[in-house]
Amino acid sequence: MSQSEQEREVIVQREIPFPRELVWKAMSDPNHVNNWWGPDGFKNENVVMSFSVGGTWSFDMVAPDGTRFPNHSVFKEIVPLKKIIYDHGDGTRIWFECTVTLTQTAKGTLVTIRSLFPTKEERDEVVEKYGAIEGGKQHLAKLEAYIARNFI
């Protein structure tokens, strides 16, 4: 039985009250991403980012209790000010494909993060075990606060 994409995806969105150019800058510049990326209480270490198609983004996400989560992504598509697509995993295997889109709105920028997993079971595990939906919402709240503190 084939699983639909809808069964295999996680989507989080947030309308950020800033122009798309500022949101793009915070998301695409390695000097900025490290300052807001991650759920509440987490920090990133050993960050290396080459923001280009075929480039990689590697870092250790460190939980408040010190647990380290290795992250490794490979950028597949970059459309300036509009879209970033990358494969995300731990350096050993790919967990999911992530598509980030930025849509200009009357009030700012709608940021949509869509993670597409190979199977519904893998999607469910990440949602249940790691709190992927709430974590994604925290990423975007931290992005908004970072832009407000640093660009406005």
Side-chain angles (χ1 to χ4, degrees), residues 46-65:
N46 306 316
V47 180
V48 177
M49 180 189 237
S50 174
F51 189 71
S52 61
V53 173
T56 61
W57 176 24
S58 298
F59 58 96
D60 292 328
M61 188 177 288
V62 184
D65 68 1

Side-chain angles (χ1 to χ4, degrees), residues 20 23-30 33 36-37 49-57 73-88 96-103 111-116 143:
R20 189 164 52 177
V23 176
W24 180 261
K25 182 177 180 180
M27 296 188 91
S28 63
D29 184 330
V33 174
W36 63 268
W37 185 262
M49 180 189 237
S50 174
F51 189 71
S52 61
V53 173
T56 61
W57 176 24
S73 299
V74 178
F75 295 104
K76 296 169 60 174
E77 182 179 349
I78 297 172
V79 180
L81 302 177
K82 295 182 180 179
K83 180 169 49 174
I84 304 166
I85 300 176
Y86 57 89
D87 283 333
H88 181 76
F96 56 86
E97 178 185 81
C98 185
T99 301
V100 180
T101 55
L102 307 180
T103 306
V111 180
T112 303
I113 300 176
R114 177 185 186 247
S115 301
L116 182 63
L143 169 62

Side-chain angles (χ1 to χ4, degrees), residues 4-141:
S4 73
E5 285 193 3
Q6 190 172 16
E7 293 177 300
R8 299 183 293 123
E9 70 185 3
V10 171
I11 296 176
V12 292
Q13 294 183 307
R14 184 179 184 102
E15 187 171 26
I16 296 179
F18 304 115
R20 189 164 52 177
E21 293 78 15
L22 292 182
V23 176
W24 180 261
K25 182 177 180 180
M27 296 188 91
S28 63
D29 184 330
N31 296 314
H32 295 299
V33 174
N34 189 48
N35 293 304
W36 63 268
W37 185 262
D40 294 347
F42 284 72
K43 64 181 178 177
N44 300 322
E45 295 180 352
N46 306 316
V47 180
V48 177
M49 180 189 237
S50 174
F51 189 71
S52 61
V53 173
T56 61
W57 176 24
S58 298
F59 58 96
D60 292 328
M61 188 177 288
V62 184
D65 68 1
T67 302
R68 301 179 81 79
F69 299 94
N71 286 259
H72 181 83
S73 299
V74 178
F75 295 104
K76 296 169 60 174
E77 182 179 349
I78 297 172
V79 180
L81 302 177
K82 295 182 180 179
K83 180 169 49 174
I84 304 166
I85 300 176
Y86 57 89
D87 283 333
H88 181 76
D90 60 7
T92 302
R93 70 179 185 100
I94 296 171
W95 298 333
F96 56 86
E97 178 185 81
C98 185
T99 301
V100 180
T101 55
L102 307 180
T103 306
Q104 192 71 49
T105 67
K107 296 179 183 178
T109 304
L110 177 64
V111 180
T112 303
I113 300 176
R114 177 185 186 247
S115 301
L116 182 63
F117 294 82
T119 67
K120 177 185 181 311
E121 292 74 23
E122 288 174 270
R123 177 237 183 246
D124 291 348
E125 178 183 358
V126 170
V127 168
E128 294 162 14
K129 187 174 179 180
Y130 298 107
I133 294 171
E134 182 57 33
K137 291 177 182 179
Q138 292 172 12
H139 283 299
L140 294 178

